[in-house]
Amino acid sequence: MRVSEVPRAMAAARAIAAALGLTADDAIVLHDSNKLTLRLLPCDVLARVAPVADQVARLEVELAQRLAEAGCPVAALEPRVEPGVHERDGFVVTLWTYHEPVPPPVIPAADYAHALTRLHAGMRELDVPTPRFTDRVEQAQRLLADRDRTPALADADRELLGDTLHKLRRAISERGTADQLLHGEPHPGNLIPTKNGPLFIDLETCCRGPVEFDLAHAPDEVAGHYAGVDQDLLHDCRLLVLAMITTWRWDRHDQLPDGRRLGEEWLGRIRAARV
């Protein structure tokens, strides 16, 4: 979120919490990306705040409710208020249970795979309209085509990323593997260790595709504990995801710390893989 918007976003979250009967005298920033994640105190609630024009909060709330009811390992909505999406001062705010992190900070691969297996099992039971993973690829392709948003990307690297995205999107789609509802970005930053076991957060990226697309976001060792993985498909998905996240790093508005250095490093990995 833009630095200039953060104070207003924090004020909006605190005001909404107060209007719902939760005491929120203070707000601590836990994470700042496309959404601002806050810990409101002393009510101890987690608030996720996004600009009204840039969010899919209603879908995220619906999925969180239904997956939690099905016993899936997802972070729950705040139980002291009615589930919903709240708007104020140009922001949408959703309220969640705050989970105090517990050790170990790095979730073992077997536990990670077990949580993802349970999540996928629950997602197979849901009939919810969501984009296909190819829509995410198209977003990266549009970013590459927009030189005003990616001015620092060299022509040769732009061509490399574009060719990789195009070929792998087509190759994965043409395999005919069954699609299902996916998390979309179940990387380590979206799986938190809690006293109730690992829980997935940030369901705004849900899409449909092969489970290997989700596994491509997880550490490499996780796939070894997930049953029935198509290793060739996983290889293609990993390279596709790498090309996507590399493209994001060249967006002039990218706010990931050290993002440009990572973009350079990942370009090298893609060049080596394409040789």
Side-chain angles (χ1 to χ4, degrees):
M1 185 174 293
R2 294 178 183 175
V3 174
S4 60
E5 295 180 326
V6 170
R8 287 178 44 239
M10 295 173 71
R14 290 175 56 200
I16 286 170
L20 294 170
L22 300 170
T23 304
D25 298 328
D26 195 14
I28 300 171
V29 176
L30 300 181
H31 186 66
D32 183 9
S33 57
N34 59 323
K35 285 189 177 184
L36 187 67
T37 302
L38 305 170
R39 183 182 182 184
L40 304 181
L41 294 169
C43 61
D44 215 12
V45 170
L46 187 137
R48 302 189 70 209
V49 191
V52 168
D54 187 28
Q55 52 80 34
V56 287
R58 296 190 189 282
L59 174 62
E60 185 175 24
V61 166
E62 179 187 355
L63 286 171
Q65 284 182 273
R66 296 177 64 177
L67 289 169
E69 289 169 359
C72 293
V74 295
L77 293 159
E78 169 53 46
R80 287 171 286 179
V81 299
E82 287 294 317
V85 177
H86 313 278
E87 293 191 19
R88 187 182 181 95
D89 194 21
F91 297 98
V92 291
V93 179
T94 52
L95 301 176
W96 305 78
T97 298
Y98 175 74
H99 294 278
E100 190 75 45
V102 299
V106 177
I107 297 170
D111 294 345
Y112 202 126
H114 180 61
L116 190 57
T117 299
R118 290 174 56 210
L119 179 66
H120 284 162
M123 285 182 154
R124 281 194 290 273
E125 302 302 315
L126 299 186
D127 183 15
V128 180
T130 55
R132 196 162 183 260
F133 79 96
T134 50
D135 290 18
R136 306 278 306 285
V137 181
E138 288 174 6
Q139 291 174 10
Q141 290 173 313
R142 287 195 296 271
L143 181 58
L144 282 178
D146 189 342
R147 292 177 179 269
D148 289 337
R149 286 186 62 190
T150 54
L153 187 59
D155 287 345
D157 294 332
R158 192 182 305 274
E159 182 179 353
L160 172 68
L161 288 170
D163 185 61
T164 302
L165 291 169
H166 173 73
K167 288 184 176 178
L168 289 174
R169 172 190 169 186
R170 183 177 62 186
I172 294 167
S173 296
E174 290 178 352
R175 293 181 74 93
T177 304
D179 284 358
Q180 73 150 78
L181 184 62
L182 304 173
H183 181 286
E185 288 187 0
H187 54 67
N190 282 335
L191 183 63
I192 58 173
T194 76
K195 64 181 181 181
N196 298 319
L199 298 178
F200 285 100
I201 60 172
D202 199 355
L203 299 171
E204 66 174 358
T205 55
C206 284
C207 59
R208 300 195 70 82
V211 295
E212 285 81 3
F213 183 79
D214 262 2
L215 280 164
H217 291 80
D220 291 351
E221 318 84 67
V222 172
H225 299 274
Y226 191 106
V229 176
D230 181 329
Q231 294 296 332
D232 291 336
L233 178 55
L234 177 59
H235 175 273
D236 284 352
C237 286
R238 279 179 173 154
L239 188 55
L240 175 68
V241 168
L242 182 61
M244 290 168 61
I245 63 175
T246 301
T247 300
W248 307 142
R249 302 292 72 82
W250 294 92
D251 187 341
R252 65 189 303 172
H253 301 302
D254 183 49
Q255 297 182 21
L256 185 72
D258 209 19
R260 188 54 54 85
R261 183 194 64 79
L262 289 171
E264 293 280 9
E265 177 184 326
W266 294 342
L267 275 171
R269 289 172 55 186
I270 294 170
R271 290 190 202 101
R274 291 295 305 275
V275 171

